[in-house]
Amino acid sequence: MEEALTRLATTDTLTGIYNRGKIEDSLRQEMARAARYGSPLAIILFDLDYFKKINDSLGHSIGDQVLKEVAATVGRQIRETDVLGRWGGEEFMVLCPGTVADDAVTIAEKLRQRVAELPLGVTISCGLAGYRTGESMDALINRADKALYAAKHAGRNLVRMAA
């Protein structure tokens, strides 16, 4: 019973991956580890391009299926040490411990390509940032979010790294 409650409290019910609360907790832990040991950490924020059109034209049940398939595809592509969670709506976060931002670009590109190869006809835009010692969680997320929006504004289906 306790295990079931823990799963409910930490898992996104639609996709089966971590929910926002759990991914935030994991990010706090990874940031503390990175600060303590001086190890690199990168985060990738991504969302589905034109997802509203999918829901509006095909219906929310198809939109839900698309979210599940994208989450499953990304989950199969990331390393065991990486952490995937649903940030909200059609937005997701990948924590990449032990990874510098330049290497996270390679990971994000791989994710972008794998999603684009799905027969779903969807693409993702990715923004990423590397943790800076002493940086707050909000600042790190904000930099990744700005990079995500830069990818959107540059035409979508792109990866952008925060400055």
Side-chain angles (χ1 to χ4, degrees):
M1 177 92 135
E2 189 175 322
E3 190 176 302
L5 286 174
T6 299
R7 188 172 42 255
L8 281 173
T10 60
T11 305
D12 177 65
T13 55
L14 177 66
T15 61
I17 61 174
Y18 284 150
N19 63 22
R20 183 172 180 146
K22 180 60 178 174
I23 198 77
E24 283 180 342
D25 288 346
S26 297
L27 180 55
R28 276 188 206 90
Q29 290 173 354
E30 292 301 337
M31 287 176 68
R33 188 182 340 260
R36 186 178 314 118
Y37 299 112
S39 56
L41 168 67
I43 65 169
I44 301 168
L45 274 179
F46 72 88
D47 74 3
L48 280 70
D49 297 324
Y50 303 111
F51 185 69
K52 184 175 178 355
K53 288 182 182 179
I54 293 169
N55 276 338
D56 289 350
S57 63
L58 302 174
H60 289 276
S61 62
I62 298 298
D64 288 351
Q65 287 303 117
V66 168
L67 290 173
K68 289 180 197 177
E69 186 61 33
V70 167
T73 298
V74 170
R76 287 189 299 270
Q77 297 302 315
I78 61 175
R79 305 165 303 174
E80 265 187 46
T81 56
D82 296 338
V83 181
L84 172 63
R86 187 167 175 202
W87 192 243
E90 73 275 8
E91 194 168 28
F92 298 82
M93 181 182 284
V94 180
L95 311 181
C96 303
T99 306
V100 296
D102 287 340
D103 291 340
V105 169
T106 303
I107 295 168
E109 273 296 335
K110 177 180 159 187
L111 300 179
R112 186 194 62 74
Q113 289 171 4
R114 292 300 178 271
V115 170
E117 291 168 357
L118 292 172
L120 306 170
V122 296
T123 59
I124 61 172
S125 294
C126 304
L128 63 101
Y131 171 68
R132 296 174 178 161
T133 303
E135 183 174 38
S136 71
M137 185 170 77
D138 287 343
L140 175 61
I141 294 168
N142 189 33
R143 288 192 308 111
D145 196 44
K146 284 181 180 176
L148 170 60
Y149 280 95
K152 293 273 189 198
H153 291 296
R156 292 181 164 74
N157 193 25
L158 298 169
V159 172
R160 292 291 183 260
M161 182 170 57

Short mmCIF file of all heavy atoms in Angstrom, two decimals, residues 9 11 26 33 37 61 72 78 106 110 126 129-130 135 137 156 158-159:
data_model
loop_
_atom_site.label_atom_id
_atom_site.label_comp_id
_atom_site.label_asym_id
_atom_site.label_seq_id
_atom_site.Cartn_x
_atom_site.Cartn_y
_atom_site.Cartn_z
N ALA A 9 2.26 9.41 -5.81
CA ALA A 9 2.75 10.74 -5.46
C ALA A 9 3.89 11.21 -6.35
O ALA A 9 4.16 12.41 -6.42
CB ALA A 9 3.19 10.76 -4.00
N THR A 11 4.58 9.82 -9.73
CA THR A 11 4.46 9.42 -11.13
C THR A 11 3.35 10.19 -11.84
O THR A 11 2.26 10.36 -11.30
CB THR A 11 4.18 7.91 -11.22
OG1 THR A 11 5.21 7.22 -10.52
CG2 THR A 11 4.15 7.43 -12.66
N SER A 26 14.34 15.53 -7.67
CA SER A 26 15.54 14.94 -8.26
C SER A 26 16.53 16.01 -8.69
O SER A 26 17.74 15.85 -8.51
CB SER A 26 15.17 14.06 -9.46
OG SER A 26 14.36 12.98 -9.05
N ARG A 33 24.48 17.50 -5.33
CA ARG A 33 25.61 16.60 -5.63
C ARG A 33 26.64 17.31 -6.51
O ARG A 33 27.84 17.22 -6.28
CB ARG A 33 25.09 15.34 -6.31
CG ARG A 33 26.13 14.25 -6.50
CD ARG A 33 25.61 13.02 -7.22
NE ARG A 33 24.17 12.85 -7.23
CZ ARG A 33 23.49 12.02 -6.42
NH1 ARG A 33 24.13 11.27 -5.56
NH2 ARG A 33 22.19 11.92 -6.50
N TYR A 37 30.45 17.96 -5.18
CA TYR A 37 31.58 17.25 -5.79
C TYR A 37 32.19 17.96 -6.99
O TYR A 37 33.15 17.47 -7.59
CB TYR A 37 31.15 15.83 -6.19
CG TYR A 37 30.71 15.02 -5.01
CD1 TYR A 37 29.38 14.64 -4.87
CD2 TYR A 37 31.61 14.64 -4.01
CE1 TYR A 37 28.96 13.91 -3.77
CE2 TYR A 37 31.20 13.91 -2.91
CZ TYR A 37 29.87 13.55 -2.80
OH TYR A 37 29.47 12.83 -1.70
N SER A 61 -7.77 12.50 -26.83
CA SER A 61 -7.34 11.11 -26.62
C SER A 61 -6.14 10.79 -27.52
O SER A 61 -5.21 10.09 -27.09
CB SER A 61 -8.48 10.13 -26.86
OG SER A 61 -8.93 10.19 -28.19
N ALA A 72 7.71 7.56 -23.81
CA ALA A 72 8.31 6.22 -23.90
C ALA A 72 9.54 6.23 -24.80
O ALA A 72 10.56 5.61 -24.47
CB ALA A 72 7.28 5.22 -24.43
N ILE A 78 17.44 7.77 -23.27
CA ILE A 78 18.34 8.38 -22.29
C ILE A 78 19.12 7.31 -21.54
O ILE A 78 18.77 6.14 -21.54
CB ILE A 78 17.57 9.30 -21.31
CG1 ILE A 78 16.52 8.51 -20.52
CG2 ILE A 78 16.96 10.47 -22.05
CD1 ILE A 78 15.82 9.32 -19.45
N THR A 106 24.35 16.95 -27.66
CA THR A 106 24.33 15.69 -28.40
C THR A 106 23.16 14.82 -27.96
O THR A 106 22.47 14.22 -28.79
CB THR A 106 25.67 14.93 -28.19
OG1 THR A 106 26.73 15.78 -28.60
CG2 THR A 106 25.70 13.64 -28.98
N LYS A 110 19.84 13.79 -30.27
CA LYS A 110 19.42 12.40 -30.44
C LYS A 110 17.93 12.25 -30.10
O LYS A 110 17.19 11.60 -30.85
CB LYS A 110 20.27 11.50 -29.54
CG LYS A 110 19.89 10.04 -29.56
CD LYS A 110 20.83 9.28 -28.62
CE LYS A 110 20.24 7.98 -28.18
NZ LYS A 110 21.06 7.32 -27.16
N CYS A 126 14.02 21.74 -28.11
CA CYS A 126 14.76 21.50 -26.87
C CYS A 126 15.57 22.73 -26.49
O CYS A 126 16.22 23.34 -27.34
CB CYS A 126 15.73 20.34 -27.03
SG CYS A 126 15.01 18.79 -27.57
N ALA A 129 20.57 23.73 -20.46
CA ALA A 129 21.48 24.57 -19.70
C ALA A 129 22.33 23.70 -18.80
O ALA A 129 21.87 22.67 -18.31
CB ALA A 129 20.70 25.58 -18.86
N GLY A 130 23.57 24.13 -18.61
CA GLY A 130 24.47 23.48 -17.67
C GLY A 130 24.44 24.21 -16.34
O GLY A 130 24.41 25.44 -16.30
N GLU A 135 24.29 28.44 -8.52
CA GLU A 135 23.07 28.87 -9.21
C GLU A 135 21.84 28.28 -8.54
O GLU A 135 21.85 27.12 -8.11
CB GLU A 135 23.16 28.42 -10.67
CG GLU A 135 22.01 28.84 -11.54
CD GLU A 135 22.23 28.47 -13.01
OE1 GLU A 135 22.78 27.37 -13.28
OE2 GLU A 135 21.86 29.27 -13.86
N MET A 137 17.96 26.78 -8.40
CA MET A 137 17.21 25.90 -9.29
C MET A 137 16.36 26.73 -10.26
O MET A 137 16.31 26.42 -11.45
CB MET A 137 16.32 24.95 -8.48
CG MET A 137 15.61 23.94 -9.35
SD MET A 137 14.77 22.63 -8.41
CE MET A 137 13.34 23.50 -7.85
N ARG A 156 11.42 25.92 -34.61
CA ARG A 156 10.99 24.65 -34.00
C ARG A 156 11.79 23.46 -34.54
O ARG A 156 12.54 23.58 -35.47
CB ARG A 156 9.50 24.43 -34.17
CG ARG A 156 8.66 25.42 -33.37
CD ARG A 156 7.18 25.16 -33.55
NE ARG A 156 6.35 25.81 -32.56
CZ ARG A 156 6.06 27.11 -32.53
NH1 ARG A 156 6.58 27.91 -33.43
NH2 ARG A 156 5.29 27.61 -31.60
N LEU A 158 14.25 22.11 -33.13
CA LEU A 158 15.64 22.52 -32.98
C LEU A 158 16.10 22.34 -31.53
O LEU A 158 15.27 22.23 -30.63
CB LEU A 158 15.82 24.00 -33.35
CG LEU A 158 15.50 24.39 -34.79
CD1 LEU A 158 15.47 25.91 -34.92
CD2 LEU A 158 16.54 23.80 -35.72
N VAL A 159 17.40 22.36 -31.34
CA VAL A 159 18.02 22.33 -30.02
C VAL A 159 18.79 23.62 -29.84
O VAL A 159 19.54 24.03 -30.73
CB VAL A 159 18.98 21.13 -29.87
CG1 VAL A 159 19.76 21.20 -28.58
CG2 VAL A 159 18.23 19.81 -29.99
#
